[in-house]
Amino acid sequence: GIQVEQSPPDLILQEGANSTLRCNFSDSVNNLQWFHQNPWGQLINLFYIPSGTKQNGRLSATTVATERYSLLYISSSQTTDSGVYFCAVPGNQFYFGTGTSLTVIP
Amino acid sequence: EAGVAQSPRYKIIEKRQSVAFWCNPISGHATLYWYQQILGQGPKLLIQFQNNGVVDDSQLPKDRFSAERLKGVDSTLKIQPAKLEDSAVYLCASSFKWGGTEAFFGQGTRLTVV
């Protein structure tokens, strides 16, 4: 199966700071998803992005499929951004990364 | 548009008991997934359906876990008998079709086996 690695594994930010989360994958993919897992465990869809850049408010994502990586940018972080961020690539199944645990401190 | 519905939200059972989870996917979604997520880890696929057929159940512990999607719509996942290591969040997801379309997840069922 496809290997998906995320970095950093843990991140602590002061409220208002910016951050970049990275997702590397081992094989060519048609698409990639970013999720935010909230404290109650639900996976919330952030982006569905096969290539290029998408933006949604303070969040944006860029996927460079030819180089097998994707980046999630969080600007002006808020405490509600805390949680675990996963990337996943769809193939025969959805292959999940190991996640980045983000804590935003007031 | 309604999202993926799961029930129950929480369940506490004793080891060796049985438990069942229910999932109703987004209308029109042919592919349905069940994932197990142990605390601190990423979700792990248990089983994947395309309509009412199984696409992949290679990671399903078939001696104790079973799943069905009889009419190609909603699905149930059963554990019998439960073990302590089954304590996890069980996530159901659906997508329009198999092989690369966007997946949407339900709120999950948090199972605690004591």
Side-chain angles (χ1 to χ4, degrees), chain A residues 30-33 35 37-48 84 86 88 90-99, chain B residues 9-10 33 35 37 40-45 48 55-56 58-59 89 91 95 98-107 110:
Chain A
N30 294 323
N31 280 301
L32 182 140
Q33 280 192 252
F35 297 92
Q37 189 162 41
N38 63 24
W40 298 271
Q42 185 172 9
L43 285 165
I44 308 297
N45 288 35
L46 297 177
F47 293 101
Y48 176 61
V84 182
F86 288 101
N92 294 332
Q93 58 169 283
F94 272 83
Y95 296 94
F96 277 84
T98 48
Chain B
R9 290 293 310 278
Y10 306 94
Y33 313 80
Y35 281 85
Q37 187 177 20
Q41 300 180 14
K44 181 187 84 170
L45 180 71
Q48 178 177 315
V55 174
D56 184 352
S58 57
Q59 298 186 86
V89 176
L91 296 161
S95 63
W98 176 66
T101 56
E102 187 174 8
F104 297 85
F105 282 78
Q107 291 181 302
R110 186 177 297 274

Side-chain angles (χ1 to χ4, degrees), chain B residues 34 44-47 54 56-67 77-78:
Chain B
W34 283 102
K44 181 187 84 170
L45 180 71
L46 291 176
I47 189 167
V54 175
D56 184 352
D57 64 355
S58 57
Q59 298 186 86
L60 186 73
K62 298 181 185 63
D63 57 333
R64 299 185 299 106
F65 286 65
S66 64
L77 175 70
K78 297 179 182 177

